[in-house]
Amino acid sequence: MCSGLETAANVAEARRLVRRAAGDGAEFIATPEMTNVIEPRRAVLWEKVREEAEDPSVAALSALAHELGIWLSAGSLALRSGDRLVNRSLLYAPDGRVAARYDKVHLFDVALANGESYRESGSYDGGARAVSVDIGSIRLGLTICYDLRFPQLYLALANAGASVLAVPSAFTRVTGEAHWHVLLRARAIETGSFVLAAAQGGRHESGRETYGHSLVIDPWGRILAEALDEPGIIVTEIDAQQAVEARRRIPALRHQRAIAIGAAGDAR
């Protein structure tokens, strides 16, 4: 997607693309981070969103999942939570209910060399826990964008049984060109998991430019599908047994050890 300033238009575009993917046979569909709006002005954003129970974007996507009978991962939505905002991923079951919710843990507070600056913690409250959920015989781990740079989160999800990891994102063009592909492939390889990374891409109404390149990566680190033109969809089939096989071939998850830092020269 290339979400803009108006929530209704963004949700309409998300609905169009989700319908198109469902028409191509997709049973699980994921949208990017900030599906409902990309609005940098905090006060203006506050007026455009609501609490989860009252937000029209939440209700519209729930109705869509129910209508199409699909699992729908709303990669993330900006929502109110008390007097703050949350960057929240919602997973809808085929009956439209919210089967899982995850608030982004790692908030993007950076100043880039090209002058771009982001302080997500100025507006949003971060989550405090990892979330995984069963979709039939597959366990899905939920993460969002900047979480990608923290491998311990993905190891925790894999250790909890997740074999598919969702990474909805709105990577900047600068950081995306440098790190997007390599980080996603690394998370897939080190956990022996599929990685599904739906991404914002293009120049947004706010003036922000995101990298795009939505990806599906297999547990061996191979790119199965990539979106080169945004907005758009990619559809691919995955075989959950490949995660079992990758973890059998390289059982790194079973070989993890707690690491203590000792004094120099002390090998005990």
Side-chain angles (χ1 to χ4, degrees):
M1 296 182 65
C2 186
S3 295
L5 300 172
E6 299 303 323
T7 57
N10 296 329
V11 172
E13 174 68 352
R15 285 166 58 89
R16 181 185 73 83
L17 292 168
V18 168
R19 287 183 188 280
R20 183 175 149 199
D24 283 352
E27 298 174 344
F28 172 90
I29 301 174
T31 68
E33 182 182 28
M34 290 294 148
T35 288
N36 61 337
V37 65
I38 291 185
E39 169 57 79
R41 299 165 295 180
R42 200 265 186 194
V44 177
L45 176 61
W46 180 261
E47 294 303 317
K48 292 181 177 180
V49 301
R50 299 289 180 268
E51 297 272 346
E52 181 184 318
E54 303 169 353
D55 193 272
S57 302
V58 173
L61 294 172
S62 170
L64 183 63
H66 188 198
E67 174 195 338
L68 298 175
I70 57 167
W71 288 93
L72 175 59
S73 174
S76 85
L77 304 172
L79 297 169
R80 292 187 190 182
S81 179
D83 62 354
R84 296 275 287 173
L85 297 166
V86 289
N87 187 343
R88 177 169 294 168
S89 181
L90 294 176
L91 176 70
Y92 298 97
D95 61 4
R97 65 185 168 83
V98 175
R101 52 179 56 82
Y102 166 73
D103 289 352
K104 185 177 182 179
V105 169
H106 300 99
L107 300 181
F108 191 50
D109 290 359
V110 301
L112 302 177
N114 68 347
E116 292 180 74
S117 178
Y118 301 90
R119 185 167 175 77
E120 198 171 19
S121 66
S123 298
Y124 292 88
D125 279 341
R129 63 188 183 94
V131 174
S132 65
V133 59
D134 289 334
I135 300 177
S137 61
I138 293 174
R139 179 162 294 179
L140 173 73
L142 300 178
T143 73
I144 300 172
C145 199
Y146 190 50
D147 285 333
L148 180 59
R149 295 184 179 275
F150 300 86
Q152 65 271 23
L153 172 59
Y154 297 86
L155 290 171
L157 289 167
N159 286 328
S163 60
V164 178
L165 305 170
V167 195
S169 298
F171 253 57
T172 69
R173 175 161 293 280
V174 171
T175 58
E177 288 176 344
H179 299 148
W180 176 247
H181 289 76
V182 68
L183 285 173
L184 288 166
R185 294 182 68 196
R187 298 297 87 86
I189 293 165
E190 68 199 8
T191 63
S193 302
F194 286 94
V195 170
L196 312 179
Q200 295 280 353
R203 185 168 295 279
H204 302 262
E205 287 181 305
S206 64
R208 180 177 178 180
E209 190 173 7
T210 50
Y211 182 60
H213 292 268
S214 297
L215 294 170
V216 178
I217 302 171
D218 79 3
W220 205 243
R222 294 171 294 214
I223 295 173
L224 300 180
E226 181 171 2
L228 299 178
D229 298 308
E230 284 83 20
I233 64 167
I234 52 175
V235 180
T236 191
E237 190 169 339
I238 66 172
D239 177 4
Q241 186 61 30
Q242 290 182 13
V244 176
E245 177 62 17
R247 293 174 183 186
R248 183 195 66 78
R249 293 170 70 184
I250 301 183
L253 291 175
R254 290 195 284 110
H255 292 162
Q256 293 175 90
R257 298 178 60 186
I259 302 297
I261 305 299
D266 184 0
R268 293 174 297 172

